[in-house]
Coordinates of all heavy atoms in Angstrom, one line a residue:
R1397 N 101.9 87.6 112.2 CA 101.1 88.8 112.0 C 102.0 89.9 111.4 O 101.8 90.5 110.3 CB 100.4 89.2 113.2 CG 99.2 88.4 113.5 CD 98.6 88.8 114.8 NE 97.5 88.0 115.2 CZ 97.1 87.9 116.5 NH1 97.6 88.6 117.5 NH2 96.1 87.1 116.8
P1398 N 103.0 90.3 112.2 CA 103.9 91.4 111.7 C 104.6 91.0 110.4 O 104.9 91.8 109.6 CB 104.9 91.7 112.8 CG 104.8 90.5 113.8 CD 103.4 89.9 113.6
L1399 N 105.0 89.7 110.3 CA 105.8 89.3 109.2 C 104.9 89.4 107.9 O 105.3 89.9 106.9 CB 106.2 87.9 109.3 CG 106.9 87.2 108.1 CD1 108.2 88.0 107.7 CD2 107.2 85.8 108.4
T1400 N 103.6 89.0 108.0 CA 102.7 89.1 106.8 C 102.4 90.5 106.5 O 102.5 90.9 105.3 CB 101.4 88.5 107.3 OG1 101.6 87.2 107.6 CG2 100.4 88.6 106.1
A1401 N 102.3 91.4 107.5 CA 102.1 92.9 107.2 C 103.4 93.4 106.6 O 103.2 94.3 105.6 CB 101.8 93.6 108.5
L1402 N 104.5 93.0 107.0 CA 105.7 93.5 106.5 C 105.9 93.1 105.0 O 106.2 93.9 104.1 CB 107.0 93.0 107.2 CG 108.3 93.5 106.8 CD1 108.4 95.0 106.8 CD2 109.4 92.8 107.6
L1403 N 105.6 91.8 104.7 CA 105.7 91.4 103.3 C 104.7 92.1 102.4 O 105.0 92.4 101.3 CB 105.4 89.9 103.2 CG 106.5 89.0 103.9 CD1 106.1 87.5 103.9 CD2 107.8 89.1 103.2
L1404 N 103.5 92.3 102.9 CA 102.5 93.0 102.1 C 103.0 94.5 101.8 O 102.9 95.0 100.7 CB 101.1 93.1 102.9 CG 100.0 93.9 102.3 CD1 99.6 93.3 100.9 CD2 98.8 93.9 103.2
T1405 N 103.6 95.1 102.9 CA 104.0 96.5 102.7 C 105.1 96.5 101.7 O 105.2 97.4 100.8 CB 104.5 97.0 104.0 OG1 103.4 97.0 104.9 CG2 105.0 98.5 103.9
A1406 N 106.1 95.6 101.8 CA 107.2 95.5 100.8 C 106.6 95.4 99.4 O 107.2 95.9 98.5 CB 108.1 94.4 101.2
A1407 N 105.6 94.6 99.2 CA 105.1 94.4 97.9 C 104.4 95.7 97.4 O 104.6 96.1 96.2 CB 104.1 93.2 97.9
V1408 N 103.6 96.3 98.2 CA 102.9 97.5 97.7 C 103.7 98.7 97.6 O 103.4 99.6 96.9 CB 101.7 97.7 98.6 CG1 100.7 96.6 98.7 CG2 102.1 98.2 100.0
A1409 N 104.9 98.6 98.3 CA 105.8 99.8 98.1 C 106.3 100.0 96.7 O 106.7 101.1 96.3 CB 107.0 99.6 99.0
L1410 N 106.2 98.9 95.9 CA 106.7 99.0 94.5 C 105.6 99.5 93.6 O 105.8 99.8 92.4 CB 107.2 97.7 94.0 CG 108.3 97.0 94.9 CD1 108.6 95.6 94.3 CD2 109.5 97.9 94.8
V1411 N 104.3 99.7 94.1 CA 103.2 100.1 93.3 C 103.1 101.6 93.4 O 103.0 102.2 94.6 CB 102.0 99.5 93.8 CG1 100.7 99.9 93.0 CG2 102.0 97.9 93.7
P1412 N 103.1 102.3 92.3 CA 103.0 103.8 92.3 C 101.7 104.2 93.0 O 100.6 103.5 92.8 CB 102.9 104.2 90.9 CG 103.6 103.1 90.2 CD 103.3 101.9 90.9
A1413 N 101.8 105.2 93.8 CA 100.5 105.6 94.6 C 99.5 106.4 93.6 O 99.9 107.3 92.9 CB 100.9 106.7 95.7
A1414 N 98.3 105.8 93.6 CA 97.3 106.4 92.8 C 96.9 107.8 93.2 O 96.9 108.1 94.4 CB 96.1 105.5 92.8
G1415 N 96.6 108.7 92.2 CA 96.2 110.0 92.6 C 97.3 111.0 93.0 O 97.0 112.1 93.4
V1416 N 98.5 110.6 93.0 CA 99.6 111.5 93.3 C 99.9 112.3 92.1 O 100.1 111.8 91.0 CB 100.8 110.7 93.8 CG1 102.0 111.6 94.1 CG2 100.5 109.8 95.0
T1417 N 100.0 113.6 92.3 CA 100.3 114.5 91.1 C 101.8 114.3 90.7 O 102.7 113.9 91.6 CB 100.1 115.9 91.6 OG1 101.1 116.3 92.6 CG2 98.7 116.1 92.1
Q1418 N 102.1 114.5 89.4 CA 103.5 114.5 88.9 C 104.4 115.4 89.7 O 105.5 115.0 90.0 CB 103.5 114.8 87.4 CG 104.8 114.5 86.8 CD 105.1 113.0 86.9 OE1 104.2 112.1 86.7 NE2 106.4 112.6 87.2
A1419 N 103.9 116.6 90.1 CA 104.7 117.5 90.8 C 105.1 117.0 92.1 O 106.3 117.1 92.6 CB 103.9 118.8 91.0
A1420 N 104.2 116.3 92.8 CA 104.5 115.7 94.1 C 105.4 114.6 94.0 O 106.3 114.4 94.7 CB 103.2 115.2 94.8
Q1421 N 105.3 113.8 92.9 CA 106.2 112.7 92.7 C 107.6 113.2 92.5 O 108.6 112.5 92.8 CB 105.7 111.9 91.5 CG 104.5 111.0 91.7 CD 104.1 110.3 90.5 OE1 104.2 110.8 89.4 NE2 103.5 109.1 90.6
N1422 N 107.8 114.4 91.8 CA 109.1 114.9 91.5 C 109.7 115.7 92.7 O 110.8 116.2 92.7 CB 109.0 115.8 90.3 CG 108.7 115.0 89.0 OD1 109.0 113.8 89.0 ND2 108.1 115.6 88.0

């Protein structure tokens, strides 16, 4: 369970967060 969640999190961490303003990203 925690291993699967960790792998999922590691994968999505590389995906830019939708709806985040450019100012916030910077």
Side-chain angles (χ1 to χ4, degrees):
R1397 287 176 183 160
L1399 176 60
T1400 302
L1402 180 60
L1403 291 174
L1404 177 62
T1405 302
V1408 302
L1410 301 178
V1411 180
V1416 179
T1417 65
Q1418 188 64 41
Q1421 287 177 328
N1422 292 336

